[in-house]
Coordinates of all heavy atoms in Angstrom, one line a residue:
P194 N -9.1 90.4 8.0 CA -8.1 89.4 7.6 C -6.7 90.0 7.7 O -6.5 91.2 7.4 CB -8.5 89.0 6.2 CG -9.6 89.9 5.8 CD -10.0 90.8 6.9
D195 N -5.7 89.1 8.1 CA -4.3 89.6 8.2 C -3.9 90.1 6.8 O -4.2 89.5 5.8 CB -3.4 88.4 8.5 CG -3.6 88.0 10.0 OD1 -4.1 88.8 10.7 OD2 -3.2 86.9 10.3
G196 N -3.3 91.3 6.8 CA -2.8 91.9 5.6 C -3.7 92.8 4.9 O -3.4 93.4 3.9
A197 N -5.0 92.9 5.5 CA -5.9 93.9 4.8 C -5.6 95.3 5.2 O -5.0 95.6 6.3 CB -7.3 93.5 5.3
T198 N -6.0 96.2 4.3 CA -5.9 97.6 4.6 C -7.3 98.1 4.9 O -8.2 97.6 4.4 CB -5.2 98.4 3.5 OG1 -5.9 98.1 2.3 CG2 -3.7 98.1 3.4
W199 N -7.4 99.2 5.6 CA -8.7 99.8 5.9 C -8.8 101.3 6.0 O -7.7 101.9 6.2 CB -9.2 99.2 7.2 CG -8.4 99.5 8.4 CD1 -7.3 98.9 8.8 CD2 -8.7 100.5 9.4 NE1 -6.8 99.4 10.0 CE2 -7.6 100.5 10.3 CE3 -9.6 101.5 9.5 CZ2 -7.5 101.3 11.4 CZ3 -9.6 102.4 10.6 CH2 -8.5 102.3 11.5
T200 N -10.0 101.8 5.7 CA -10.2 103.2 5.8 C -11.5 103.4 6.6 O -12.3 102.4 6.8 CB -10.3 103.8 4.4 OG1 -10.3 105.2 4.5 CG2 -11.5 103.4 3.6
V201 N -11.8 104.6 7.0 CA -13.0 104.8 7.7 C -13.7 106.1 7.2 O -13.1 107.1 6.9 CB -12.8 104.9 9.3 CG1 -12.1 106.2 9.7 CG2 -14.2 104.9 10.0
A202 N -15.0 106.0 7.0 CA -15.9 107.1 6.6 C -16.9 107.3 7.7 O -17.8 106.6 7.8 CB -16.6 106.8 5.3
G203 N -16.6 108.3 8.5 CA -17.6 108.6 9.6 C -18.6 109.6 9.0 O -18.3 110.5 8.3
I204 N -19.9 109.3 9.3 CA -21.0 110.1 8.7 C -21.3 111.3 9.6 O -21.3 111.2 10.9 CB -22.3 109.2 8.6 CG1 -21.9 108.0 7.7 CG2 -23.4 110.1 8.0 CD1 -21.4 108.3 6.3
G205 N -21.5 112.5 8.9 CA -21.9 113.7 9.6 C -20.8 114.1 10.7 O -19.6 114.1 10.4
R206 N -21.3 114.4 11.9 CA -20.3 114.9 12.9 C -19.3 113.9 13.3 O -18.4 114.2 14.0 CB -21.1 115.5 14.1 CG -21.9 114.4 14.9 CD -22.8 115.0 15.9 NE -23.8 114.0 16.3 CZ -23.6 113.1 17.2 NH1 -22.5 113.0 17.9 NH2 -24.6 112.2 17.5
H207 N -19.5 112.7 12.9 CA -18.6 111.6 13.3 C -17.3 111.5 12.3 O -16.4 110.8 12.6 CB -19.3 110.2 13.2 CG -20.5 110.2 14.1 ND1 -20.3 110.2 15.5 CD2 -21.8 110.1 13.9 CE1 -21.5 110.2 16.1 NE2 -22.4 110.1 15.1
E208 N -17.4 112.3 11.3 CA -16.3 112.2 10.3 C -14.9 112.5 10.9 O -14.0 111.7 10.8 CB -16.6 113.2 9.1 CG -15.6 113.1 8.0 CD -16.0 113.9 6.8 OE1 -15.7 115.1 6.8 OE2 -16.6 113.3 5.8
L209 N -14.8 113.6 11.6 CA -13.5 114.1 12.1 C -13.0 113.1 13.2 O -11.9 112.7 13.2 CB -13.6 115.5 12.5 CG -12.2 116.1 13.0 CD1 -11.2 116.0 11.9 CD2 -12.4 117.6 13.4
P210 N -13.8 112.8 14.3 CA -13.3 111.9 15.3 C -12.9 110.5 14.7 O -11.9 110.0 15.1 CB -14.4 111.8 16.3 CG -15.6 112.6 15.8 CD -15.2 113.4 14.6
M211 N -13.7 110.0 13.8 CA -13.4 108.7 13.2 C -12.1 108.8 12.4 O -11.2 107.9 12.5 CB -14.5 108.2 12.3 CG -15.7 107.7 13.0 SD -15.4 106.2 13.9 CE -15.7 106.6 15.6
A212 N -11.9 109.9 11.7 CA -10.7 110.1 10.9 C -9.5 110.1 11.8 O -8.4 109.5 11.5 CB -10.8 111.3 10.1
T213 N -9.6 110.9 12.9 CA -8.5 111.0 13.8 C -8.1 109.7 14.4 O -6.9 109.3 14.5 CB -8.8 112.0 14.9 OG1 -9.4 113.2 14.3 CG2 -7.6 112.5 15.7
M214 N -9.1 108.9 14.8 CA -8.8 107.6 15.4 C -8.1 106.7 14.3 O -7.2 106.0 14.6 CB -10.1 106.9 15.8 CG -10.7 107.4 17.1 SD -12.2 106.6 17.5 CE -13.2 108.0 18.0
A215 N -8.6 106.7 13.1 CA -8.0 105.9 12.0 C -6.5 106.3 11.8 O -5.7 105.4 11.7 CB -8.8 106.1 10.7
I216 N -6.3 107.6 11.8 CA -4.9 108.0 11.6 C -4.0 107.4 12.8 O -2.9 106.9 12.5 CB -4.7 109.5 11.5 CG1 -5.5 110.1 10.3 CG2 -3.3 109.9 11.5 CD1 -5.6 111.6 10.3
A217 N -4.5 107.5 14.0 CA -3.7 107.0 15.1 C -3.6 105.5 15.1 O -2.6 105.0 15.6 CB -4.4 107.5 16.4
M218 N -4.5 104.8 14.5 CA -4.6 103.3 14.6 C -3.9 102.7 13.4 O -3.8 101.5 13.3 CB -6.0 102.8 14.6 CG -6.7 103.1 16.0 SD -8.5 102.9 15.8 CE -8.6 101.1 15.5
G219 N -3.4 103.5 12.4 CA -2.8 102.9 11.2 C -3.7 102.7 10.1 O -3.3 102.1 9.1
G220 N -4.9 103.2 10.2 CA -5.9 103.1 9.0 C -5.8 104.3 8.1 O -4.9 105.1 8.2
H221 N -6.7 104.4 7.2 CA -6.8 105.5 6.3 C -8.2 106.2 6.4 O -9.0 105.8 7.2 CB -6.6 104.9 4.9 CG -5.3 104.1 4.8 ND1 -4.1 104.8 4.6 CD2 -5.0 102.8 4.9 CE1 -3.1 103.9 4.6 NE2 -3.6 102.7 4.8
V222 N -8.4 107.2 5.6 CA -9.5 108.1 5.9 C -10.3 108.5 4.7 O -9.7 108.8 3.6 CB -8.9 109.5 6.5 CG1 -10.1 110.5 6.7 CG2 -8.3 109.2 7.9
R223 N -11.6 108.5 4.8 CA -12.4 109.1 3.7 C -13.2 110.3 4.2 O -13.8 110.2 5.3 CB -13.4 108.0 3.2 CG -14.3 108.6 2.1 CD -15.2 107.5 1.5 NE -16.6 107.7 1.8 CZ -17.6 106.9 1.3 NH1 -17.3 105.9 0.4 NH2 -18.8 107.1 1.6
V224 N -13.2 111.3 3.5 CA -14.0 112.5 3.8 C -14.6 113.0 2.5 O -14.3 112.7 1.4 CB -13.1 113.7 4.4 CG1 -12.6 113.3 5.8 CG2 -12.0 114.1 3.5
G225 N -15.6 113.9 2.7 CA -16.3 114.6 1.5 C -17.7 114.7 1.7 O -18.3 114.1 2.7
F226 N -18.3 115.5 0.8 CA -19.8 115.9 1.0 C -20.7 114.7 0.9 O -21.9 114.8 1.3 CB -20.1 116.9 -0.1 CG -19.5 118.2 0.1 CD1 -19.6 119.2 -0.9 CD2 -18.8 118.6 1.2 CE1 -19.1 120.5 -0.8 CE2 -18.3 119.8 1.4 CZ -18.4 120.8 0.4
E227 N -20.3 113.5 0.4 CA -21.1 112.3 0.4 C -21.5 112.0 1.8 O -22.6 111.5 2.1 CB -20.4 111.2 -0.3 CG -21.2 109.9 -0.2 CD -20.8 108.8 -1.1 OE1 -20.1 109.1 -2.1 OE2 -21.2 107.6 -0.9
D228 N -20.5 112.2 2.7 CA -20.6 111.7 4.1 C -20.9 112.8 5.1 O -21.6 112.6 6.1 CB -19.3 111.1 4.6 CG -18.9 109.9 3.6 OD1 -19.7 109.2 3.1 OD2 -17.6 109.7 3.5
N229 N -20.5 114.0 4.8 CA -20.5 115.1 5.7 C -20.4 116.5 5.0 O -19.5 116.6 4.2 CB -19.4 115.0 6.8 CG -19.2 116.3 7.5 OD1 -20.1 116.9 8.1 ND2 -18.0 116.7 7.6
V230 N -21.2 117.4 5.3 CA -21.1 118.7 4.6 C -20.6 119.9 5.5 O -20.4 121.0 5.0 CB -22.5 119.1 4.0 CG1 -22.9 118.2 2.9 CG2 -23.6 119.3 5.1
Y231 N -20.3 119.5 6.7 CA -19.9 120.6 7.6 C -18.4 120.6 7.9 O -17.8 119.5 7.9 CB -20.6 120.4 9.0 CG -22.0 120.9 9.0 CD1 -23.0 119.9 8.7 CD2 -22.3 122.2 9.1 CE1 -24.4 120.4 8.7 CE2 -23.7 122.6 9.1 CZ -24.7 121.7 8.8 OH -26.0 122.1 8.8
Y232 N -17.8 121.7 8.1 CA -16.4 121.8 8.5 C -16.4 121.7 10.0 O -15.5 121.0 10.6 CB -15.7 123.1 8.1 CG -14.3 123.1 8.4 CD1 -13.4 122.5 7.5 CD2 -13.8 123.7 9.5 CE1 -12.0 122.4 7.8 CE2 -12.4 123.7 9.8 CZ -11.5 123.0 9.0 OH -10.2 123.0 9.3
E233 N -17.3 122.4 10.7 CA -17.4 122.3 12.1 C -18.9 122.6 12.4 O -19.6 123.0 11.5 CB -16.5 123.2 12.9 CG -16.7 124.7 12.5 CD -15.6 125.6 12.9 OE1 -14.6 125.1 13.4 OE2 -15.7 126.8 12.7
K234 N -19.3 122.4 13.7 CA -20.7 122.6 14.0 C -21.1 124.1 13.6 O -20.5 125.0 14.0 CB -20.9 122.5 15.5 CG -22.3 122.4 15.9 CD -22.5 122.1 17.4 CE -24.0 122.1 17.7 NZ -24.3 122.0 19.1

Side-chain angles (χ1 to χ4, degrees):
D195 287 343
T198 50
W199 61 278
T200 190
V201 69
I204 302 301
R206 66 191 162 84
H207 302 294
E208 186 171 82
L209 186 58
M211 285 292 119
T213 311
M214 283 177 222
I216 297 170
M218 289 166 67
H221 304 282
V222 175
R223 178 173 115 174
V224 292
F226 290 171
E227 174 164 348
D228 305 326
N229 164 51
V230 294
Y231 285 94
Y232 187 81
E233 60 196 2
K234 191 172 179 193

